[in-house]
Amino acid sequence: MSNSAADRSQRPMRVAIIGAGPAGVYAADILTKAERDFEVSIDLFDKYPAPYGLIRYGVAPDHPRIKGIVNALHKVMDRGDIRFLGNVHYGKDLTLTDFRHFYDAIIFATGAIKDADMSIPGVELEGSFGGADFVSWYDGHPDVPREWPLDAKEVAVIGNGNVALDVARILSKHADDLLTTEIPDNVYEGLKKSPVTDVHIFGRRGPAQVKFTPLELRELSHSRDVDIVLYPEDFEFDEGSDEQIRTNNQTKTMVNTLTNWLVEEQDSGASRRLHLHFLHSPVEIYEDPANPGKMAGMKFERNELDGTGNARGTGEIVDYPVQAVYRAIGYFGSELPEVGFDSRRGVIPNEGGRVIDEAGAPVPGIYTTGWIKRGPIGLIGHTKGDALETIGFLLEDRLNLPAAEEPDEESIIKLLEDRGVEYTTWEGWLKLDAYEKSLGASYVHPDPATGELVRERVKVVDRDEMVRIARGQ
């Protein structure tokens, strides 16, 4: 097919978006709605058979806002003007060269799924886990083991962000109280056997510097048979804290919630306790002498605030004999084949979403958005602003994009089929969605004494099963 300017103006601009989480869907939605005098044709790829990315595999199943976000993404995809192609692995099933052959522009929206490193002695010991890995397990990620070693009675969670709260809440919550969510059966069975009694959340700075949000904080108090425990010595406020409380309503709300809990001194005799610790910096995870290779506890340095809201060590070391630790200090992006990578920040090097090369020059036709663009910070809503910026630059560059050699929509389908890639579609996702809901509707609660239990869905974990159902095989 000819690639003259005249021919290109007579056909839709072909755009591939790699990653079907919120970042990818928002970018596709913004591009379809953008004011323009030409047509666009968008294919949204994902390496998993199902869409939604972070929403399906990175957010706790009892998260209060998850259903609303899924509904919003569903409406975008269900319009029919964006094609979903799942179970297609970039760098394996299709290369960048392949994408350039079939598309005028490629947008990477692959997010960040790995744990950020925590470099302290003992981090490699048995019982030390990445928070992101645990999230993937309880969210039924198809590429992680089905079992998780939940044998600790006392657990530490390191971090003061929403992921740390999610991890701690899932660890401390009774498994039966998660049955109304979409957790897979293997996750329910694993959590049901957990002997946990105490979960400790540790933050480096004070209550005014926490990174979680008020809604997620309040959710902690909704767990049945779980007491929240706080410590007066952790409630230190300096001039920087006072200024933050005075000028930021979100901080003020969270500090008020925490101080109210402290004054109330919860002690209902619950079978599980969730401890919130501030002004603690991790120092060492130490080994159990009787069980070489296995952790026996964790040491922290007590901190104090320095007047600006930042923390400094006091030299005082405190010891907590926990049997497991979950590192939830942030996510980190993964390098992609044939695309540059900033190994310090964990992102694809870019300027406003235009991918740049080692010399800092834009790479024609290649863009990025979401966490792999800016780093894993901000809430899901921030992703819309990210996508708006990226799409703005793509539209600005439109006349100078390297033209696809085979822009016909069916050409990429033929290549996938020729290579034996068992891709899934939006129609296939609707089949899988209906199947998961049917599993929930048919669920029979094992304890009739607890009354009727309604399960909205039960998530399918096995990748092959997901593909089989989605493809109607």
Side-chain angles (χ1 to χ4, degrees):
M1 182 176 291
S2 172
N3 285 320
S4 69
D7 287 333
R8 290 182 62 184
S9 68
Q10 298 301 311
R11 66 167 175 83
M13 179 175 70
R14 291 284 284 145
V15 178
I17 301 176
I18 302 170
V25 176
Y26 290 151
D29 186 39
I30 289 169
L31 181 55
T32 60
K33 294 177 179 177
E35 186 175 338
R36 47 188 166 77
D37 57 0
F38 58 93
E39 294 185 12
V40 295
S41 171
I42 305 169
D43 286 342
L44 190 61
F45 290 85
D46 205 281
K47 67 178 179 179
Y48 306 122
Y52 305 147
L54 173 71
I55 299 300
R56 184 170 170 94
Y57 295 122
V59 179
D62 62 343
H63 192 287
R65 287 197 293 255
I66 185 172
K67 189 173 180 181
I69 297 170
V70 167
N71 289 342
L73 298 179
H74 178 95
K75 287 179 182 178
V76 172
M77 296 299 298
D78 208 40
R79 293 195 310 249
D81 54 356
I82 301 165
R83 185 165 64 175
F84 172 68
L85 295 170
N87 202 42
V88 179
H89 198 149
Y90 170 78
K92 178 182 175 184
D93 298 320
L94 294 176
T95 65
L96 183 59
T97 301
D98 293 327
F99 278 103
R100 281 192 171 281
H101 185 80
F102 295 102
Y103 298 92
D104 303 304
I106 302 101
I107 303 174
F108 287 94
T110 51
I113 60 172
K114 294 195 308 182
D115 282 289
D117 290 337
M118 187 173 76
S119 299
I120 62 171
V123 73
E124 77 289 345
L125 290 172
E126 181 183 344
S128 172
F129 304 105
D133 293 336
F134 184 58
V135 171
S136 292
W137 175 76
Y138 67 59
D139 272 336
H141 194 293
D143 298 334
V144 301
R146 300 290 184 270
E147 306 299 321
W148 192 273
L150 290 163
D151 52 7
K153 289 186 176 182
E154 298 160 299
V155 178
V157 178
I158 312 302
N160 259 180
N162 286 338
V163 174
L165 287 193
D166 284 349
V167 168
R169 193 176 64 253
I170 295 297
L171 285 167
S172 60
K173 210 165 189 175
H174 290 276
D176 284 350
D177 295 334
L178 289 165
L179 279 173
T180 55
T181 74
E182 62 182 21
I183 62 166
D185 287 336
N186 67 295
V187 175
Y188 168 72
E189 294 297 336
L191 292 171
K192 182 76 172 174
K193 298 172 184 175
S194 171
V196 68
T197 59
D198 293 84
V199 177
H200 300 261
I201 305 176
F202 293 95
R204 186 176 58 85
R205 296 192 290 172
Q209 288 80 39
V210 295
K211 295 298 184 182
F212 34 75
T213 49
L215 181 61
E216 278 72 18
L217 178 62
R218 288 194 295 268
E219 279 296 303
L220 292 183
S221 66
H222 298 163
S223 295
R224 178 184 61 85
D225 191 36
V226 179
D227 280 341
I228 297 176
V229 184
L230 297 107
Y231 299 87
E233 63 270 23
D234 290 345
F235 280 72
E236 178 181 315
F237 300 95
D238 61 356
E239 292 179 9
S241 301
D242 293 339
E243 177 68 11
Q244 178 75 3
I245 294 168
R246 187 181 65 80
T247 59
N248 188 297
N249 286 331
Q250 179 167 295
T251 300
K252 182 179 180 179
T253 298
M254 288 190 291
V255 169
N256 285 341
T257 298
L258 289 166
T259 51
N260 286 339
W261 288 350
L262 176 66
V263 171
E264 291 167 4
E265 293 185 359
Q266 280 193 42
D267 186 9
S268 68
S271 67
R272 295 180 178 181
R273 289 163 295 280
L274 186 55
H275 306 255
L276 296 175
H277 302 272
F278 304 104
L279 300 170
H280 283 68
S281 285
V283 172
E284 177 190 7
I285 302 171
Y286 59 87
E287 191 173 32
D288 182 354
N291 294 285
K294 186 175 178 61
M295 69 169 290
M298 192 162 183
K299 293 180 180 180
F300 295 82
E301 181 178 12
R302 288 285 304 178
N303 293 332
E304 62 183 7
L305 298 179
D306 65 0
T308 68
N310 289 312
R312 61 191 175 202
T314 65
E316 178 188 354
I317 303 298
V318 288
D319 188 339
Y320 291 87
V322 294
Q323 299 89 52
V325 58
Y326 291 78
R327 310 179 303 275
I329 59 173
Y331 286 85
F332 200 78
S334 300
E335 186 171 0
L336 298 166
E338 300 182 82
V339 183
F341 188 67
D342 183 336
S343 58
R344 182 180 62 85
R345 297 178 55 221
V347 299
I348 296 173
N350 72 93
E351 290 183 355
R354 288 183 174 120
V355 173
I356 57 176
D357 60 21
E358 292 182 356
V363 180
I366 309 296
Y367 302 85
T368 185
T369 190
W371 278 5
I372 198 63
K373 168 188 174 183
R374 72 175 189 272
I377 54 175
L379 302 175
I380 290 173
H382 292 92
T383 310
K384 291 183 179 179
D386 249 1
L388 189 63
E389 180 184 52
T390 295
I391 296 303
F393 282 125
L394 188 155
L395 293 175
E396 187 178 308
D397 300 341
R398 181 180 73 88
L399 296 179
N400 297 313
L401 295 175
E405 294 182 38
E406 290 190 65
D408 183 80
E409 291 183 351
E410 292 308 306
S411 297
I412 188 67
I413 299 299
K414 183 177 185 303
L415 178 66
L416 291 172
E417 291 176 347
D418 287 347
R419 292 183 177 178
V421 178
E422 293 188 301
Y423 64 90
T424 60
T425 63
W426 180 250
E427 292 73 22
W429 159 246
L430 295 179
K431 293 177 185 177
L432 178 58
D433 183 43
Y435 180 78
E436 291 186 342
K437 289 177 178 175
S438 73
L439 292 179
S442 64
Y443 183 82
V444 178
H445 197 278
D447 183 4
T450 62
E452 184 179 358
L453 176 77
V454 177
R455 294 195 73 180
E456 185 173 345
R457 68 193 304 129
V458 178
K459 188 181 288 183
V460 174
V461 179
D462 184 78
R463 179 187 285 267
D464 290 342
E465 184 180 5
M466 292 171 68
V467 171
R468 178 182 58 76
I469 294 166
R471 291 173 64 87
Q473 297 173 345

